Amino acid sequence: DKGNHRHFMVKEIHEQPEVVGHTLAHYLDLANGIAKVPSGIDFAAIDRLSITACGTAYYAGFVAKYWFERLARLPVDIDIASEFRYREQPLSRNGLSIVISQSGETADTLASLRYAKGEGQKIAAVVNVQESTIAREADIRLPTLAGAEIGVASTKAFTAQLSVLAATAVAAGKARGVLSAEDEGKLVRALSEVPRLMHQVLKLDEQIEALARELAKVKHCLYLGRGTSYPIALEGALKLKEISYIHAEGYAAGELKHGPIALIDEDMPVVVIAPYDRVFEKTVSNMQEVAARGGRIILITDRKGQEAAAIDTLATIILPEMPAIVTPLVYAIPVQLLAYHTAVFMGTDVDQPRNLAKSVTVE
Ligand code: M6R
């Protein structure tokens, strides 16, 4: 049931504050400022994580790599499942494999799980459908409590995956002695603010819709980000191409001058995802390079970022200021809305885009 919404996708976008709140409440002890360690995982004994998934779930894993490395000093290998399953990568004996899947039936992700299991790895699955094959075959189940996701373009499952992974990375940081109880408390409090921040960002819907009218006219679009905003750029580009069929690519902002800058002209807008964080200034120099070549910038940032960037943009979407750990969750929303409204303007079948299946059970 779509309720008052025109498509399942937009309904699911709007469900995110609730779904994320619900999922976080499962993994965090909010009253005591503690991230719960999932039972069956001894983070102090693990020396390497390998994360495997496809599509949007892979991008959730990519964000998690930054979190686990930074907060828990745990090295993370991140792989696309279709590559991982055949690569015969040597896995650490004290490693943990995490697979991520909304449906729990993705053929390549399941094959990766089986490969890792065969190599003696313990498997944790971040999964939304609890009766799925991946959920059944994993040693440790880390449910996302997103409810059924109908739109082929994943939205609420993505932020629910990020919620599980963020909470688990904080728990790992504490268990490994990297984070103090005080650090942990701060991060848990920051995460608990996500639903409220998401509500605020959903109010930008009209501004984003107006911008989508412009985006619907272009043939190509670039997304840039650094740090955890890099996987969000990848996810933004995937969302746009999946449902609007506009060619979009996500790049690490620092890679711009290693090739993609050759594409920049006034016909190729550049969406820059840049909260005012420790790498913000670096991204500003990339935006200047774009602007100097006549590129039109859509900047997604906060008030501080807007002031510090001091750059002419086609549009600037201003989000509230927030701690770094929560930016991937909250900045996912404007890129989802931008793709959604663009697709609606293009008149595509938003919930059932051409050539795509909700669950990819063949390789
Ligand atoms: O069910 P899964 O999470 O394993 O699916 C993985 C991908 O097929 C999925 O995320 C796909 O990329 C979506 N269409 C993205 O919107």
Side-chain angles (χ1 to χ4, degrees):
D1 178 22
K2 287 188 277 223
N4 296 329
H5 295 285
R6 192 163 158 196
H7 297 100
F8 280 109
M9 182 182 178
V10 72
K11 173 174 180 261
E12 289 161 359
I13 289 174
H14 284 270
E15 280 170 8
Q16 289 176 108
E18 196 194 325
V19 155
V20 162
H22 200 49
T23 303
L24 285 171
H26 189 80
Y27 290 88
L28 304 173
D29 171 351
L30 292 172
N32 297 301
I34 290 170
K36 303 180 204 166
V37 179
S39 71
I41 305 183
D42 178 4
F43 276 113
I46 288 168
D47 63 359
R48 208 165 185 93
L49 270 186
S50 78
I51 304 183
T52 312
C54 300
T56 289
Y58 168 75
Y59 297 140
F62 205 159
V63 172
K65 172 181 169 76
Y66 288 82
W67 284 334
F68 277 105
E69 290 184 345
R70 187 130 211 271
L71 302 173
R73 308 301 299 152
L74 196 53
V76 178
D77 300 309
I78 165 92
D79 265 285
I80 291 167
S82 55
E83 289 298 317
F84 180 87
R85 65 180 293 190
Y86 295 118
R87 210 169 73 237
E88 299 180 24
Q89 179 190 6
L91 297 170
S92 162
R93 269 211 287 148
N94 300 319
L96 172 74
S97 273
I98 301 183
V99 295
I100 308 169
S101 177
Q102 187 286 127
S103 62
E105 301 294 348
T106 300
D108 285 320
T109 310
L110 177 60
S112 297
L113 177 159
R114 289 177 178 159
Y115 170 79
K117 221 177 191 184
E119 292 292 296
Q121 294 274 291
K122 203 175 223 192
I123 316 285
V126 178
V127 66
N128 198 42
V129 179
Q130 298 317 306
E131 314 73 55
S132 62
T133 315
I134 288 176
R136 268 201 317 273
E137 293 195 14
D139 301 304
I140 297 150
R141 212 178 294 175
L142 304 176
T144 47
L145 308 179
E149 190 182 62
I150 310 294
V152 165
S154 185
T155 54
K156 63 175 180 172
F158 176 63
T159 47
Q161 287 158 353
L162 290 176
S163 303
V164 173
L165 293 162
T168 307
V170 173
K174 181 68 187 355
R176 292 169 62 79
V178 180
L179 300 175
S180 66
E182 194 191 333
D183 299 331
E184 181 186 26
K186 271 193 200 149
L187 291 163
V188 168
R189 267 194 302 285
L191 287 168
S192 73
E193 292 292 311
V194 171
R196 183 183 61 80
L197 290 163
M198 284 181 155
H199 269 300
Q200 274 179 262
V201 172
L202 286 167
K203 292 190 188 136
L204 303 173
D205 192 46
E206 269 178 42
Q207 186 200 353
I208 296 173
E209 185 177 8
L211 179 60
R213 196 182 286 278
E214 296 304 307
L215 205 60
K217 296 175 190 156
V218 310
K219 293 224 157 36
H220 308 274
C221 184
L222 206 61
Y223 285 72
L224 300 178
R226 273 179 193 262
T228 51
S229 299
Y230 165 38
I232 300 302
L234 296 170
E235 168 62 4
L238 177 65
K239 283 291 88 95
L240 189 70
K241 71 183 118 186
E242 276 192 294
I243 58 171
S244 75
Y245 317 144
I246 293 173
H247 171 223
E249 294 299 330
Y251 266 96
E255 274 291 291
L256 187 66
K257 52 167 88 58
H258 300 284
I261 198 164
L263 298 169
I264 302 288
D265 63 16
E266 54 286 355
D267 297 324
M268 166 120 128
V270 182
V271 179
V272 182
I273 297 144
Y276 188 76
D277 59 13
R278 48 204 281 278
V279 288
F280 181 80
E281 287 302 331
K282 304 287 167 196
T283 309
V284 172
S285 18
N286 302 126
M287 282 192 279
Q288 285 162 346
E289 290 157 7
V290 171
R293 283 155 189 87
R296 294 183 301 158
I297 296 167
I298 296 169
L299 173 59
I300 309 179
T301 186
D302 47 38
R303 188 61 69 195
K304 274 193 189 150
Q306 183 212 21
E307 280 162 17
I311 203 155
D312 278 339
T313 61
L314 173 65
T316 304
I317 301 171
I318 300 184
L319 273 52
E321 278 158 40
M322 63 194 85
I325 183 158
V326 305
T327 57
L329 288 126
V330 182
Y331 279 67
I333 290 188
V335 298
Q336 295 166 349
L337 286 173
L338 192 59
Y340 171 73
H341 288 299
T342 304
V344 171
F345 282 123
M346 310 277 292
T348 61
D349 188 348
V350 172
D351 285 332
Q352 294 281 327
R354 67 185 184 200
N355 310 338
L356 292 176
K358 181 67 187 159
S359 168
V360 184
T361 53
V362 290
E363 51 174 306

